[in-house]
């Protein structure tokens, strides 16, 4: 048996349990939401809260950081498909995902606590950013680049600055507005305000 086979094969009669995995992920998020930082979080505590044995966790995740990355990633819903017909409409969709996620108090709490440990766990945060954040940034970049090509946006557009303007404005609102108190049309308003500057001139 090869090394790869030995690490991926599962004993007969013991299929991967989606229920157990969900319980473990939920337990991890609950403990963080309760104020337990990544450094204080233990496999023992997670196993106890999830009602599983430690071996059940180690069968799926080789260490705590891998588990935390997967748990945090579940707070980021998959991006909805973009129509690709209107840059304005696609930007609204991308920003509205941020608004919707920020309206979930548990997600805000967990992310705030986890990010406070970023300096102590730089690799964990790097992996989370790569898995859950970078795809969203790339989607916005591609949308803006498409807009430049199509003429919907100004030809000399600074893509990085435009991304910062759009996502930064939404992040400002999601950080300072009371949870659940974000206007439903916030994404549309941000995009329309930005379009006066990044749209074609003249």
């Amino acid at each position: 048996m090869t090394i790869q086979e030995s690490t991926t094969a599962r004993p007969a009669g013991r299929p991967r349990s989606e229920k157990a995995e969900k319980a473990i992920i939920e337990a991890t998020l609950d403990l963080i939401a309760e104020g337990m930082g990544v450094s204080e979080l233990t496999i023992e505590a997670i196993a106890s809260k999830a009602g599983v044995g430690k071996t059940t966790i180690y069968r799926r995740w080789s260490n705590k950081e891998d588990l935390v990355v997967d748990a945090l990633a579940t707070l980021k819903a998959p991006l909805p498909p973009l129509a690709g017909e209107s840059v304005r409409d696609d930007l609204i969709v991308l920003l509205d995902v941020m608004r919707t996620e920020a309206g979930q108090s548990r997600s805000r709490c967990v992310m705030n606590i986890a990010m406070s440990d970023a300096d102590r766990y730089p690799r964990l945060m790097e992996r989370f950013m790569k898995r859950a954040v970078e795809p969203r940034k790339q989607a916005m970049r591609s949308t803006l680049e498409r807009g430049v090509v199509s003429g919907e946006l100004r030809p000399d557009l600074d893509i990085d600055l435009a991304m910062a303007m759009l996502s930064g404005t939404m992040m400002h609102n999601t950080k300072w507005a009371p949870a659940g108190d974000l206007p439903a049309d916030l994404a549309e308003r941000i995009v329309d305000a930005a379009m006066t500057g990044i749209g074609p001139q003249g």
Side-chain angles (χ1 to χ4, degrees), residues 64-170:
K64 178 178 70 175
E65 290 192 16
D66 287 344
L67 171 53
V68 172
V69 168
D70 282 352
L72 294 180
T74 66
L75 297 176
K76 298 286 187 181
L79 284 175
L82 302 177
E85 298 175 356
S86 162
V87 166
R88 174 184 177 274
D89 291 349
D90 286 352
L91 289 174
I92 290 173
V93 169
L94 292 170
L95 288 189
D96 201 52
V97 170
M98 296 175 63
R99 180 192 67 83
T100 301
E101 291 174 348
Q104 300 166 355
S105 58
R106 181 199 195 195
S107 295
R108 286 166 55 129
C109 177
V110 170
M111 290 307 303
N112 286 340
I113 295 172
M115 288 301 179
S116 68
D117 275 340
D119 290 340
R120 300 180 66 177
Y121 293 90
R123 177 162 168 71
L124 185 153
M125 289 300 119
E126 178 184 344
R127 290 174 56 207
F128 169 71
M129 294 292 287
K130 182 176 181 180
R131 175 172 175 181
V133 178
E134 286 301 325
R136 292 154 183 258
K137 291 176 63 177
Q138 186 54 50
M140 181 174 289
R141 178 179 295 278
S142 297
T143 299
L144 292 170
E145 290 174 345
R146 191 183 82 232
V148 171
V149 173
S150 68
E152 295 172 80
L153 303 178
R154 56 192 302 169
D156 61 344
L157 179 64
D158 184 326
I159 300 292
D160 289 324
L161 183 58
M163 291 175 62
M165 289 169 55
L166 290 161
S167 59
T169 304
M170 178 59 78

